[in-house]
Amino acid sequence: MDLEDKLQQIKERYDEINQAMADPAIYDRPSEYAELTKEHTQLKELVDDFDRWKEIHQLLKGNSELIEANEDAEITEMAREESKELEKELEKLEESIKFKLIPKDPDDSKNCIVEIRAGTGGDEAAIFAGDLFDLYRRYADNQNWKMNILSVTESEKGGFKEIVFELSGNEVFGKMKYESGVHRVQRVPETESQGRVHTSAATVAVLPEANDDVDIDINMGDIRVDTFRASGAGGQHVNKTDSAIRLTHEPSGVVVECQQERSQHQNKAKALVMLKTKLYDMEMEKIRAERAADRKSQVSTGDRSAKIRTYNYPQGRLTDHRINLTLYNLDDIMKGNIDDVIEALRLEDNLEKLNAIMQ
């Protein structure tokens, strides 16, 4: 399908919405009216662009006819100059339209819950999990996001066996979602006396936080609630009270823990959000699997068992295997400066989506 056909479809849908909204009876159906208003707002900018797109084509056609007539050299030259400017505008307009056609992921604007777990590599994997946590903590600071730690299992030699935290702010999941997967590190561990390079790994899972607009029905009768004494960082209270909460959702087998707040009530409230988020992610995973059957994506945000990135310390190199991106500023990246990596992944993802809708 070419660009004009796609835009014509949108224009026809826009006209249908206008007609539906002109019917006084629509006000008796407020939810339907709200949906139409939202869609109307989303399509209006594209329809305006389409009107300008058609206008430019008409102007170019008129100039072409004027140049062919060739009756006045001065007028012909003016028409040629105007056509050059119009063609530049048309090129920019078409680029803009193409990216506006890409359907927005409603989850992109959501906060997210991030889980980092040490993988293969023993103590070094846990230390690397800690390094990844520091990377994301610094990145969150750069983005003016708020971080809230939910659960921690520390490692004796440093780092974490597991750490779970929430990030909240603007477009959090839209940027962090590309971090899901297996992160591999190649370096000489501090515990290695021979100076040999070891390979270790940590797994990152980034889940869009399930807020009130997500329809996930949780029956409290299906949930087993266990309390236990919190451990790790968090203050002296962690060793004195059974304030930590573990929720087990019996039908799905999903288990979540929250131990960072001072009261059982606070920890339970956050654990319920985590549980709802995990159940929502399971539903979305089914949808992603169905889409993957139709479109093989390089920039997958679903398969968390896939090796997505290698951090090579001896060479100061980061390689993202999904898009064959290699950067030689690893020290800078580990300080939280990962914008170049994330923007490259977002661009590739958008190009894949654009190709899919233009077919």
Side-chain angles (χ1 to χ4, degrees):
M1 181 182 293
D2 64 22
L3 186 62
E4 184 175 7
D5 290 339
K6 191 71 182 175
L7 290 170
Q8 188 59 46
Q9 277 188 355
I10 289 169
K11 178 68 165 61
E12 289 169 4
R13 174 59 185 159
Y14 183 75
D15 291 340
E16 285 176 11
I17 293 170
N18 278 333
Q19 190 173 351
M21 291 176 70
D23 182 358
I26 193 68
Y27 297 107
D28 296 329
R29 304 188 297 275
S31 60
E32 185 181 343
Y33 178 73
E35 285 296 317
L36 287 173
T37 302
K38 183 179 177 182
E39 190 177 358
H40 184 275
T41 302
Q42 291 171 341
L43 296 183
K44 186 179 186 307
E45 193 174 352
L46 270 170
V47 171
D48 289 344
D49 286 345
F50 186 33
D51 289 340
R52 179 57 182 162
W53 186 87
K54 289 187 291 187
E55 184 183 4
I56 292 173
H57 275 280
Q58 282 299 113
L59 290 169
L60 286 170
K61 182 181 178 183
N63 283 349
S64 179
E65 290 171 355
L66 192 63
I67 292 166
E68 284 179 15
N70 200 24
E71 293 175 357
D72 187 304
E74 187 176 345
I75 292 175
T76 299
E77 185 58 29
M78 286 175 63
R80 283 200 179 98
E81 288 301 315
E82 185 185 35
S83 290
K84 285 180 184 178
E85 293 302 315
L86 288 169
E87 283 167 358
K88 287 180 185 176
E89 182 185 350
L90 184 63
E91 186 178 352
K92 288 182 181 178
L93 182 62
E94 288 187 348
E95 249 345 88
S96 174
I97 287 171
K98 285 176 182 177
F99 279 96
K100 286 175 186 174
L101 284 171
I102 298 170
K104 289 181 173 58
D105 185 341
D107 285 341
D108 281 356
S109 61
K110 292 182 178 179
N111 299 331
C112 70
I113 290 175
V114 183
E115 303 173 343
I116 304 175
R117 292 185 177 87
T120 55
D123 293 333
E124 172 63 10
I127 292 169
F128 179 52
D131 293 339
L132 287 176
F133 170 73
D134 284 339
L135 186 162
Y136 296 137
R137 178 179 54 78
R138 292 171 175 178
Y139 180 60
D141 285 343
N142 294 342
Q143 299 292 315
N144 294 315
W145 295 342
K146 181 183 176 183
M147 175 180 281
N148 181 27
I149 296 174
L150 301 172
S151 177
V152 178
T153 305
E154 295 178 334
S155 172
E156 291 180 5
K157 297 290 180 66
F160 306 106
K161 293 179 181 177
E162 176 181 296
I163 183 164
V164 182
F165 56 94
E166 175 193 46
L167 291 175
S168 55
N170 185 41
E171 292 290 308
V172 179
F173 183 71
K175 292 183 178 180
M176 284 295 297
K177 64 183 179 182
Y178 302 108
E179 295 303 298
S180 284
V182 177
H183 296 241
R184 187 176 68 165
V185 63
Q186 295 173 328
R187 63 185 177 188
V188 179
E190 294 178 10
T191 54
E192 171 57 60
S193 58
Q194 304 297 320
R196 293 174 297 185
V197 174
H198 284 224
T199 299
S200 305
T203 301
V204 177
V206 181
L207 316 178
E209 190 170 81
N211 48 29
D212 292 338
D213 69 339
V214 174
D215 186 21
I216 296 290
D217 185 30
I218 297 179
N219 183 348
M220 294 305 295
D222 291 335
I223 298 174
R224 188 176 76 243
V225 181
D226 296 308
T227 60
F228 61 99
R229 192 160 294 181
S231 61
Q236 293 182 351
H237 72 282
V238 297
N239 293 320
K240 294 181 179 179
T241 62
D242 291 341
S243 60
I245 291 288
R246 181 184 298 112
L247 302 182
T248 304
H249 186 246
E250 303 282 7
S252 65
V254 171
V255 179
V256 296
E257 293 181 0
C258 188
Q259 58 177 275
Q260 295 306 111
E261 301 299 330
R262 287 184 173 270
S263 74
Q264 277 190 20
H265 178 73
Q266 290 173 313
N267 279 325
K268 186 176 180 181
K270 291 198 171 177
L272 280 169
V273 172
M274 293 168 68
L275 178 59
K276 188 175 181 182
T277 293
K278 287 238 183 184
L279 294 176
Y280 173 65
D281 184 65
M282 289 172 68
E283 289 299 312
M284 293 307 297
E285 183 63 32
K286 294 175 187 174
I287 296 172
R288 283 193 290 265
E290 290 170 4
R291 289 175 182 167
D294 299 326
R295 178 175 69 91
K296 183 64 177 174
S297 172
Q298 284 181 282
V299 191
S300 169
T301 57
D303 185 3
R304 298 186 187 110
S305 64
K307 182 184 73 177
I308 63 167
R309 199 175 291 159
T310 297
Y311 303 72
N312 185 295
Y313 276 74
Q315 297 179 21
R317 184 185 75 226
L318 177 139
T319 301
D320 195 291
H321 304 290
R322 292 164 293 182
I323 55 174
N324 295 320
L325 173 71
T326 299
L327 300 172
Y328 287 89
N329 58 335
L330 184 58
D331 286 347
D332 195 41
I333 287 168
M334 297 309 292
K335 292 174 183 174
N337 299 311
I338 55 171
D339 296 274
D340 289 347
V341 182
I342 287 175
E343 286 307 311
L345 288 160
R346 291 183 84 177
L347 178 60
E348 183 65 31
D349 194 21
N350 282 337
L351 289 172
E352 286 181 2
K353 289 175 181 174
L354 181 60
N355 288 335
I357 64 173
M358 295 304 293
Q359 287 177 357

